[in-house]
Amino acid sequence: MHQSLTPIGAALILAFASAAAPHAMAAPDLKIALIAGKTGPLEAYAKETETGFMMGLEYLTGGKMEIAGRKLKIIVKDDQNKPDLGRTLLAEAYGDDKVDIAVGTTSSGSAIAMLPVAKEYKKVLIVEPAVADAITGDKWNKYIFRTARSSMQDAMAAASTLKGGSVGFLTQDYAFGRDAIKAGKEALAATSSKARVVHEEYAPVSTTDFTASTQRLFDALKDKPQPRVLQIVWAGPNPMNKIADMKPERYGIHLAPGGNILPVMKTWKNYGGTEGTIYYYYAFPKNKMNDWLVAEHQKRFKAPPDMFTAGGFAAASAVFNALSKVPNGNSDQLIAAMEGMTFDTPKGPMSFRKEDHQALQSMYHFRIKKDQKSEWDLLELVREIPTAELPLPVRNKR
């Protein structure tokens, strides 16, 4: 027989149900791991990436830090640029922390070590800011996406500025440098530049005296067809000033530095008119997202955003767009949604190429300003190099 409730009993049940309802209906947090080399020589890059990533999520979520009603929980880990530690931390993020998606890391060596972990756990990893071509080449698997530009994209941007002549390269003697020069030579061959590589110099990472390396480059270039270009590909404090002090113009040699972080480029002010290529400079892109980033970063940090700040923001946009399409975080569904996905970044739109999940993006040809009106008024735009002029080869054997 059905027994009716007393008014007190009914009230207690109603109160309990009301109190329990929000907890029963609340969706679990969306967990995102951000792995970066915050300890060691690439610390500045890692900190910029983290700043840009957090500002990107703030902007894209309107300050709510949630997607589809699910709160975002960001778990930041420092791999100290050590491949073994990077691999361990990513396994920890996927296995113990149960993250839905991961982003990282700063060092290409550590990033390459992390790729098989994503495959083992069947979870998406967005690589930012590591640039080694192998990440979307022979070391790639279907769980890997990259918002960072690749060494080959850097090289093709640089090659697009050359119209014949002779090229010498100076870089660091480790994986990044050798990868970059290999890409540089391939890019010159693949574009219509018709420039010829005449010499390559690989200096130890800790080098402070560039006299011998530079003189070998000068000797190799000085009698070769014009224009004579010495391309500098260097991570961290750049040797351009020391090379410029050796007066390459005596031999008709022009320096072509790759873009760098603002504190490094600030030291180049005596070399106004020198040209190079860069991934991002805060004053170049003209769009609403970049306007917000520049203004807000200036307000908070008394300086404009840098290269890796923009990269972190781009990774945040990829995460936001992917999880907005697949809020349950299912890896197979994420991959399907992200292949070919176009998303806005401070640089403008990027698109993940379906074949290898590399983000296709424009680059910039710059000239160092001769008349710098303020501390960070460093570069002027020669032109934006569109994606169509960067015919990136597919190298992943998919």
Side-chain angles (χ1 to χ4, degrees), residues 49 53 57 103 126-128 147 310-320 343 345:
T49 301
F53 189 73
L57 290 176
V103 176
I126 296 175
V127 176
E128 177 67 46
T147 47
F313 201 120
S317 183
V319 168
F320 175 81
F343 50 101
T345 79

Side-chain angles (χ1 to χ4, degrees), residues 90 104 110-120 123 125 127 134-136 138-141 143-144:
L90 185 60
S110 187
I112 287 170
M114 288 162 55
L115 306 186
V117 179
K119 184 177 181 181
E120 178 186 348
K123 288 283 189 178
L125 169 65
V127 176
I135 292 166
T136 43
D138 63 328
K139 304 295 185 186
W140 177 89
N141 64 70
Y143 298 96
I144 306 306

Side-chain angles (χ1 to χ4, degrees), residues 21-234:
H23 299 285
M25 294 172 62
D29 292 344
L30 277 168
K31 295 181 181 179
I32 304 162
L34 175 64
I35 300 174
K38 296 173 66 176
T39 304
L42 304 181
E43 174 187 353
Y45 299 179
K47 288 184 174 178
E48 287 182 9
T49 301
E50 183 179 357
T51 296
F53 189 73
M54 298 306 293
M55 290 183 73
L57 290 176
E58 176 188 344
Y59 175 87
L60 291 156
T61 63
K64 294 180 179 180
M65 296 300 280
E66 64 178 43
I67 296 173
R70 297 179 66 181
K71 291 289 185 185
L72 300 181
K73 182 178 181 181
I74 315 303
I75 302 168
V76 181
K77 298 176 183 285
D78 177 12
D79 68 2
Q80 302 174 35
N81 303 298
K82 297 175 180 176
D84 287 349
L85 184 55
R87 186 165 46 236
T88 299
L89 291 178
L90 185 60
E92 181 184 275
Y94 290 142
D96 298 339
D97 300 324
K98 308 294 185 192
V99 301
D100 296 278
I101 198 166
V103 176
T105 183
T106 317
S107 156
S108 286
S110 187
I112 287 170
M114 288 162 55
L115 306 186
V117 179
K119 184 177 181 181
E120 178 186 348
Y121 283 87
K122 296 181 169 58
K123 288 283 189 178
V124 170
L125 169 65
I126 296 175
V127 176
E128 177 67 46
V131 302
D133 285 327
I135 292 166
T136 43
D138 63 328
K139 304 295 185 186
W140 177 89
N141 64 70
K142 73 173 186 176
Y143 298 96
I144 306 306
F145 289 78
R146 175 159 57 182
T147 47
R149 88 283 185 199
S150 66
S151 288
M152 195 63 177
Q153 283 170 307
D154 275 345
M156 287 192 149
S160 75
T161 68
L162 301 176
K163 305 302 176 191
S166 309
V167 179
F169 286 109
L170 172 67
T171 192
Q172 291 147 307
D173 191 8
Y174 79 115
F176 162 75
R178 291 195 171 273
D179 201 47
I181 302 314
K182 179 173 178 282
K185 291 160 69 177
E186 290 178 6
L188 287 169
T191 62
S192 59
S193 71
K194 295 184 171 58
R196 179 171 164 264
V197 178
V198 299
H199 191 70
E200 304 158 39
E201 274 292 320
Y202 298 90
V205 176
S206 58
T207 299
T208 55
D209 183 355
F210 294 90
T211 307
S213 292
T214 302
Q215 193 58 55
R216 284 192 291 271
L217 279 158
F218 286 180
D219 289 343
L221 282 165
K222 64 183 181 182
D223 297 320
K224 298 299 188 295
Q226 290 273 22
R228 300 171 191 139
V229 177
L230 197 169
Q231 286 203 347
I232 305 165
V233 183
W234 206 269

Side-chain angles (χ1 to χ4, degrees), residues 1-6 10 13:
M1 180 184 290
H2 179 73
Q3 193 171 14
S4 60
L5 290 169
T6 65
I13 289 173

